[in-house]
Amino acid sequence: MFYKKPLEERIAERVAQRKPLKEGKTFEHGPAKFVFVSLLIAVVIMHVVGVAVVMAYDF
């Protein structure tokens, strides 16, 4: 009825259409960079708060 290419072929076509990555550029996708940096900052803040709580209630 309606022919649809397999997922692997569709992904391969998209990858083939992309521009080559620039030298030294890790994240080509802006939102991925934002999520990655946000998670790193959240983990650092949680660790600092956790250490502060443990130090405040040290018996």
Side-chain angles (χ1 to χ4, degrees):
M1 195 165 140
F2 296 109
Y3 175 71
K4 196 171 190 180
K5 290 182 182 178
L7 181 62
E8 294 84 7
E9 288 183 20
R10 289 184 282 163
I11 292 172
E13 287 177 356
R14 283 187 185 179
V15 170
Q17 291 175 355
R18 285 189 203 160
K19 300 177 196 172
L21 284 177
K22 295 178 183 174
E23 185 68 32
K25 190 168 183 180
T26 306
F27 288 96
E28 65 179 68
H29 194 255
K33 183 178 181 181
F34 175 76
V35 170
F36 180 73
V37 172
S38 299
L39 287 174
L40 279 177
I41 291 171
V43 167
V44 169
I45 290 173
M46 286 188 284
H47 277 86
V48 169
V49 169
V51 169
V53 168
V54 168
M55 289 177 67
Y57 292 106
D58 192 21
F59 294 103

